[in-house]
Amino acid sequence: MDTILNKLTRCIEFGKTDKAAAWPPDMKDQDGADELALRALEEGHPPDQILDALIAGMEVVGRKFSENKIFVPQMLMSAKAMKAAMTHLKPAFESGAAKRKGTFVIGTVQGDLHDIGKNIVAMYIEGSGYEVVDLGVDVKPEQFLVEIDKHPGCVVGLSALLTTTMINMKRTVDVIRETHPKQVICVGGAPVSEKFCREISADFYSPDPQGAVAFLNRLAS
Amino acid sequence: MNGYERTLAFLNNRAVDRPPFHPIIMRWAARQAGTPYRDFCLEPEAKCDAMIRCAVDFDLDWVTVMSDPWAEASAFGVEVAYPENDLPVDTGGHLPDAASAARLSPYNPLENMRCRNRLAELEVYRKRIGDRYFTVGWVEGPVAEYVDLRGASEASMDLLMEPENAARAMDVITESALVFIRLQVERGAHCIGIGDAFCSQIGPDLYRQFAFGRQKQLVDGIHAAGALAKLHICGNTSAILPEMIATGADIIDVDHLVPSMSGFAGLLAPHQVFSGKADPVSVIQDGSPEDIRQTVMRDFRDAGGRCIVSAGCEITPDTTPGNMHAFRKAVDAPETQ
Ligand code: B1M
């Protein structure tokens, strides 16, 4: 049955942000994630149920991305659709009417300006029910400390795309651990590896967003 | 044989003493020469000096003008900052939306400092090394330049949401690149590289829609100007390699993320070769000399012998001189002869 929640899942899968959006062409003039999320709330669907519909869409997107069936542009459109829907859910999360699974503070490390992978990971994690604090690119270790203090119990995610900035990933871990020895830190990015993760004493390496979500879910359960 | 003769002979299927060796060096070259990166990017003499020193010390067959992607972007109006000893950073002046991208005007390379520098670098090479090394100029490809002007995420979404506007901007990018190509060939470039790295991220359909035809136009323009063409797209390009070859570029760069060149070697025309494809991190930077030798031999075999030896993309700054010598030595392995 094509319920409003199924439609919402499809909007995430195909990156339909709102009715006016030209993408995808075969969903022209149809409601997008923006309108459907709002209507679902108005119709009385609990925010958690709406979030589940978004997560279902994200899971398909993640699978297609790993299978090279969709690429960065389509992934970013799904992220945009997700954001559009989340705008309507935010008040429910903020008021406590719906619960987030935890907080994830993510950034691309100092000296590194690559942000697409980091954005995709952030979007995927947000879409999986976590609050995401995205510090952007070229993030100094001290900026992470500020956010860790603001969000006790959060998990930190570091992304790096350059071999030369991997050293700043290590520095960030060291600086965080000086004052927060138990802080959970997850790392990723094209040149990063399991071995490097162990060398710098980070807690978890994931080559992709799905792995990072699975790790967070294990921690949250 | 010198690097120029070796490269030309290899491309023309004539006998060579060994395959050409063309590792992409930028930050590594600056570090080896002790040149602050700002000088490397902004001072033609400093860049050429570092490149020539590396070519001599590590027996490379080529020199290039590569350092960072911001030359053309600055000519189109992007503001770029040059930290003392770090990579340049784009700080503003990007195209705010796809509609303004569609109104992009061509630039005149002679009126922009970075573009004039590139021409000056080629003149320095001509004066200092003449035809001893294979000298490679550079232009950004249509998709990469669009990404530089709009920002990667915005550009990616434009391809789906605003295809006409993005295409119009890419036409202007291509038209300007053709002018820049002619000027670089006039200054002595033997070859022009087209850097279009982002193409590995957009999938084969968008590659065909936006990049292929324009890259072919650039290759044709390079050939018409009297030089050879090299097409650089790093990342996993398995799905678009047949089209990359069909652009007619003489040298097709292949990155380590392409599992093997073996399925594609048969598509090369007689004048075409691959260049690649060792992993710059796990093999060239972190591997042992034996790892490097094995990788070079395997790739060379997979390419049916039609492969210039290089890494899949830039040599990382932390690669030791010892590993670079081992990389060069691997080219002498009997299996590559
Ligand atoms: C926390 O937990 C996690 C978990 C998983 C995580 C994670 C965190 N973070 C990522 N993941 C994982 O999930 C994501 C989704 O699957 C994945 O993320 P990725 O980020 O790996 O993948 C993205 C989805 C798509 N991939 C990308 O977006 C990167 C694409 C390529 C083409 C690329 C781009 C686009 C750019 N670049 Co740059 N660039 C290249 C890339 C070459 C290529 N063809 O791959 C690469 C990465 N760049 C490189 C270089 C050298 C550079 N770049 C530079 C600049 C740029 C642009 C600005 C032009 C642009 C960035 C735009 C932007 N806003 O991001 C310069 C550096 C600037 C700086 N200070 O950072 C410059 C130094 C070039 C120069 N000389 O100026 C190379 C790195 C070499 C190395 N290993 O050190 C490179 C491989 C290209 C090359 N051929 O040399 C996973 O890794």
Side-chain angles (χ1 to χ4, degrees):
Chain A
M1 201 176 60
D2 208 9
T3 64
I4 187 164
L5 295 181
N6 287 345
K7 282 187 188 162
L8 193 51
T9 300
R10 266 216 319 280
C11 286
I12 304 304
E13 179 182 349
F14 295 106
K16 176 76 176 169
T17 51
D18 56 75
K19 192 167 184 168
W23 180 262
D26 57 0
M27 289 171 85
K28 192 166 181 278
D29 296 331
Q30 292 178 22
D31 282 342
D34 182 27
E35 294 84 7
L36 291 171
L38 184 61
R39 217 170 60 230
L41 279 171
E42 286 166 357
E43 285 177 8
H45 290 277
D48 288 330
Q49 215 178 65
I50 300 175
L51 186 62
D52 284 344
L54 302 181
I55 294 174
M58 280 316 302
E59 276 167 3
V60 185
V61 172
R63 202 169 51 242
K64 286 188 185 168
F65 188 68
S66 347
E67 291 169 356
N68 285 334
K69 289 190 176 135
I70 61 165
F71 298 88
V72 165
Q74 292 84 354
M75 187 79 168
L76 290 171
M77 286 310 301
S78 292
K80 202 170 175 197
M82 181 87 202
K83 259 208 169 85
M86 287 304 277
T87 317
H88 300 298
L89 298 189
K90 251 188 188 125
F93 287 117
E94 276 160 14
S95 71
K99 266 192 99 61
R100 301 255 209 205
K101 296 192 218 161
T103 303
F104 190 66
V105 175
I106 189 169
T108 303
V109 298
Q110 189 166 15
D112 202 319
L113 302 177
H114 295 86
D115 69 354
I116 296 190
K118 184 263 304 162
N119 292 347
I120 289 175
V121 172
M123 166 287 276
Y124 207 89
I125 288 177
E126 181 168 27
S128 302
Y130 294 84
E131 182 185 356
V132 171
V133 179
D134 185 347
L135 299 179
V137 296
D138 191 16
V139 184
K140 295 186 185 61
E142 296 70 28
Q143 290 171 264
F144 284 102
L145 289 181
V146 173
E147 294 306 319
I148 291 168
D149 288 337
K150 273 197 220 157
H151 305 279
C154 69
V155 172
V156 167
L158 308 177
S159 180
L161 265 277
L162 299 170
T163 50
T164 41
T165 55
M166 284 164 73
I167 182 84
N168 296 339
M169 195 174 247
K170 176 177 165 28
R171 213 167 67 77
T172 308
V173 173
D174 290 346
V175 170
I176 293 174
R177 288 275 156 76
E178 263 170 38
T179 47
H180 300 78
K182 295 221 168 82
Q183 177 60 47
V184 179
I185 303 172
C186 166
V187 294
V192 180
S193 64
E194 181 75 59
K195 183 167 161 267
F196 180 74
C197 169
R198 276 198 306 272
E199 278 166 19
I200 65 170
S201 307
D203 298 282
F204 188 73
Y205 158 74
S206 172
D208 51 36
Q210 294 95 314
V213 169
F215 172 67
L216 292 182
N217 285 345
R218 278 201 301 278
L219 288 181
S221 65
Chain B
M1 267 184 160
N2 65 33
Y4 172 68
E5 292 163 345
R6 185 174 293 113
T7 304
L8 276 202
F10 189 72
L11 280 161
N12 290 316
N13 289 290
R14 291 200 309 268
V16 283
D17 51 350
R18 62 164 173 79
F21 182 47
H22 288 189
I24 296 176
I25 54 171
M26 299 184 258
R27 292 171 295 160
W28 187 84
R31 194 181 280 187
Q32 291 304 310
T35 308
Y37 210 66
R38 179 168 54 199
D39 297 351
F40 188 81
C41 294
L42 294 180
E43 293 181 15
E45 282 288 348
K47 183 190 284 178
C48 295
D49 197 56
M51 290 288 197
I52 294 170
R53 273 164 65 179
C54 290
V56 172
D57 292 351
F58 295 89
D59 200 15
L60 316 187
D61 290 312
W62 75 337
V63 289
T64 80
V65 294
M66 294 157 84
S67 58
D68 64 282
W70 302 116
E72 290 104 308
S74 74
F76 276 124
V78 170
E79 293 144 25
V80 184
Y82 297 90
E84 164 83 33
N85 206 2
D86 213 336
L87 289 156
V89 188
D90 50 329
T91 54
H94 300 89
L95 296 169
D97 47 43
S100 38
R103 294 190 298 271
L104 190 69
S105 316
Y107 64 85
N108 177 352
L110 296 171
E111 284 170 6
N112 172 267
M113 180 264 286
R114 292 297 312 277
C115 296
R116 275 198 313 271
N117 278 359
R118 187 166 298 171
L119 301 176
E121 287 156 12
L122 292 165
E123 282 169 347
V124 174
Y125 283 142
R126 184 159 62 182
K127 209 164 65 209
R128 286 186 53 186
I129 56 175
D131 282 346
R132 275 182 289 140
Y133 291 92
F134 188 65
T135 301
V136 178
W138 204 261
V139 291
E140 290 277 303
V143 174
E145 186 56 34
Y146 191 69
V147 163
D148 294 343
L149 296 178
R150 280 281 288 135
S153 299
E154 295 73 12
S156 298
M157 290 189 277
D158 287 351
L159 300 184
L160 301 176
M161 298 274 280
E162 310 258 6
E164 286 90 8
N165 287 338
R168 228 169 283 147
M170 287 188 213
D171 284 338
V172 174
I173 289 167
T174 307
E175 180 191 329
S176 299
L178 284 166
V179 174
F180 198 18
I181 284 167
R182 274 196 302 278
L183 292 170
Q184 292 186 57
V185 177
E186 280 166 18
R187 301 306 190 280
H190 300 130
C191 172
I192 302 289
I194 303 163
D196 222 351
F198 204 70
C199 287
S200 59
Q201 307 301 321
I202 64 175
D205 294 342
L206 292 175
Y207 173 78
R208 278 173 213 126
Q209 187 180 342
F210 289 98
F212 172 73
R214 294 182 179 91
Q215 287 171 355
K216 189 162 172 13
Q217 246 180 292
L218 294 177
V219 169
D220 291 345
I222 294 167
H223 287 162
L228 295 161
K230 169 184 170 82
L231 179 57
H232 175 86
I233 304 177
C234 48
N236 186 352
T237 52
S238 305
I240 58 171
L241 254 178
E243 276 90 353
M244 288 171 67
I245 295 169
T247 61
D250 306 273
I251 303 172
I252 316 286
D253 279 10
V254 182
D255 197 356
H256 71 102
L257 290 167
V258 173
S260 170
M261 290 180 270
S262 62
F264 303 102
L267 301 176
L268 293 172
H271 70 94
Q272 290 179 303
V273 297
F274 291 127
S275 177
K277 78 171 197 33
D279 181 347
V281 182
S282 72
V283 178
I284 305 301
Q285 177 189 282
D286 296 334
S288 66
E290 183 53 21
D291 295 332
I292 296 174
R293 199 179 70 87
Q294 294 283 350
T295 304
V296 167
M297 270 165 31
R298 185 204 59 208
D299 292 339
F300 196 76
R301 231 185 1 250
D302 285 351
R306 298 296 289 151
C307 186
I308 289 175
V309 176
S310 74
C313 55
E314 187 193 2
I315 298 295
T316 58
D318 293 324
T319 299
T320 60
N323 268 21
M324 196 63 160
H325 284 303
F327 194 14
R328 161 63 190 83
K329 228 169 153 239
V331 186
D332 290 332
E335 293 80 354
T336 61
Q337 304 295 299

